[in-house]
Amino acid sequence: MSNFKNLKSEEKKIVTVSEVKSNQMKQPRIAIQGVAGAFHHIAARRFFEDKNLEIVPADTFDELMIKAADSLQTDYALMAIENTIAGSILNNYQLINHSDLHIVGEVYLRIEQNLMVLPGAKIEDLTEVYSHPVAIMQCKKFFQQYPHVKLIDAEDTALSAQRVRDGQLKTTGAIASSLAAEMYDLDMIGKSIETYKKNYTRFLVLDRAESPVNIAFDKVSLCFTLPHEVGSLHQVLAALALCKTNLTKIQSAPLLDSEFEYLFFVDFLLDENKDFESIINVIKKHTLELRILGTYNKGKKHEH
């Protein structure tokens, strides 16, 4: 199942993913979970280094993957995979593994939650505030000083902001990004109201096929199953250590068609990607099924 890149073709020009995107498309179509103004939208802007994106909204991650697989609707997809507070999103690991999509990039974004209202409204005017349940959880301490405000779960942060604008809801607020406030003409009366300020989400950029050019990379994502033998996982990790890779993530997820058997997802960094094929061949000796999910550049961290 592995999808090795031809690393011997050094005659090919080495370019970055963002250069490929900008050269191929004037306005990339990016599938995200949520609507325009969501944190996925901000992360897409940071990765693609372009505000002129066509956002293709999806209500759920399952719907996002369906749209990402359709070349008539999208060019790329951007999907959250883990958060420094909430941890890994296991279902999204499973969705990637059961798709034909490849990871071609990543981006880290600090999640800054803001309270927004219709222009002129004040927090004393509010009776309720809507947002995604995770966003509400992150801001509960802030609202302890405003017991008159009821916090209500909604499907999405940006969609909550959009509804306040569309319905001209004078006694309703939303918790969302600063981009959502800008896009839906709302006033931010509470900026960065989340309790923990070092809350980052890691987003993966997904493509339907490997890039047609040889892309320089320093990070690898793969998944594998293991034989039922003592020390089988240790052998894989020891092999990675001997190959001098920097393991940045290991995550297990249940095999959906087996009882108490697991699929392992691993991310690691390489000093030199010319060693990639030899490293994979070493790992293959200790695993049953191995799939390379993507080779890409280590993502940048953005504050907003």
Side-chain angles (χ1 to χ4, degrees):
M1 297 176 67
S2 58
N3 52 342
F4 298 137
K5 295 178 184 291
N6 181 8
L7 300 178
K8 297 180 180 179
S9 55
E10 296 180 357
E11 304 80 15
K12 293 183 179 180
K13 180 183 178 183
I14 304 296
V15 297
T16 66
V17 175
S18 59
E19 287 175 326
V20 175
K21 295 187 289 286
S22 61
N23 290 337
Q24 290 179 343
M25 289 168 285
K26 292 183 178 179
Q27 190 178 26
R29 301 168 299 169
I30 314 299
I32 67 167
Q33 189 275 318
V35 299
F39 291 105
H40 277 74
H41 187 178
I42 299 175
R45 280 186 170 188
R46 297 297 176 264
F47 180 81
F48 286 85
E49 299 176 350
D50 185 4
K51 293 184 178 181
N52 189 32
L53 302 175
E54 181 182 340
I55 295 300
V56 181
D59 290 335
T60 65
F61 287 116
D62 294 77
E63 183 184 344
L64 182 153
M65 296 299 278
I66 292 172
K67 292 184 175 181
D70 186 355
S71 61
L72 296 179
Q73 297 189 66
T74 62
D75 299 302
Y76 295 92
L78 190 136
M79 182 171 73
I81 195 68
E82 61 177 317
N83 176 268
T84 53
I85 294 177
S88 299
I89 308 176
L90 290 183
N91 183 60
N92 289 0
Y93 278 101
Q94 298 279 20
L95 287 173
I96 294 172
N97 183 48
H98 288 91
S99 75
D100 293 324
L101 302 176
H102 302 277
I103 303 169
V104 296
E106 66 176 1
V107 60
Y108 295 83
L109 181 70
R110 187 168 84 83
I111 305 302
E112 185 180 82
Q113 305 287 2
N114 307 284
L115 174 61
M116 53 200 67
V117 296
L118 289 176
K122 299 178 181 179
I123 196 166
E124 292 78 14
D125 303 325
L126 300 182
T127 59
E128 56 190 17
V129 169
Y130 285 78
S131 194
H132 189 277
V134 173
I136 289 176
M137 177 189 68
Q138 293 170 355
C139 302
K140 278 192 172 181
K141 186 175 181 180
F142 171 84
F143 284 99
Q144 287 177 0
Q145 57 190 315
Y146 302 107
H148 68 283
V149 177
K150 183 179 181 180
L151 301 176
I152 302 176
D153 291 349
E155 309 96 300
D156 181 57
T157 55
L159 184 59
S160 300
Q162 184 185 55
R163 285 174 174 167
V164 171
R165 191 276 310 271
D166 291 350
Q168 289 295 292
L169 306 176
K170 296 181 180 180
T171 61
T172 300
I175 302 170
S177 71
S178 57
L179 177 61
E182 176 187 333
M183 295 188 68
Y184 301 116
D185 300 318
L186 300 178
D187 285 349
M188 290 197 299
I189 59 172
K191 185 173 174 59
S192 190
I193 64 172
E194 71 280 357
T195 301
Y196 300 103
K197 305 303 179 184
K198 294 186 178 181
N199 177 24
Y200 290 85
T201 295
R202 177 187 175 210
F203 298 85
L204 298 178
V205 182
L206 306 173
D207 192 5
R208 280 179 292 276
E210 291 182 278
S211 174
V213 296
N214 186 25
I215 298 175
F217 65 90
D218 58 11
K219 193 167 186 179
V220 179
S221 291
L222 51 83
C223 64
F224 54 82
T225 56
L226 294 170
H228 284 284
E229 298 175 359
V230 175
S232 58
L233 178 58
H234 170 75
Q235 289 178 326
V236 174
L237 299 181
L240 286 170
L242 286 172
C243 293
K244 297 183 178 180
T245 66
N246 179 8
L247 184 68
T248 60
K249 176 77 177 181
I250 181 168
Q251 177 69 55
S252 62
L255 278 171
L256 300 181
D257 55 354
S258 303
E259 294 181 359
F260 300 107
E261 293 187 30
Y262 294 88
L263 186 65
F264 292 90
F265 295 86
V266 167
D267 299 331
F268 60 86
L269 293 168
L270 291 172
D271 287 333
E272 296 186 42
N273 62 31
K274 64 181 178 61
D275 300 324
F276 174 65
E277 285 193 26
S278 61
I279 292 171
I280 295 300
N281 287 331
V282 170
I283 297 173
K284 286 178 69 176
K285 295 177 182 178
H286 304 291
T287 59
L288 294 177
E289 291 187 54
L290 173 68
R291 181 186 176 195
I292 299 170
L293 300 175
T295 58
Y296 50 98
N297 288 310
K298 178 183 177 182
K300 297 178 181 179
K301 186 180 287 187
H302 298 272
E303 290 301 310
H304 54 79

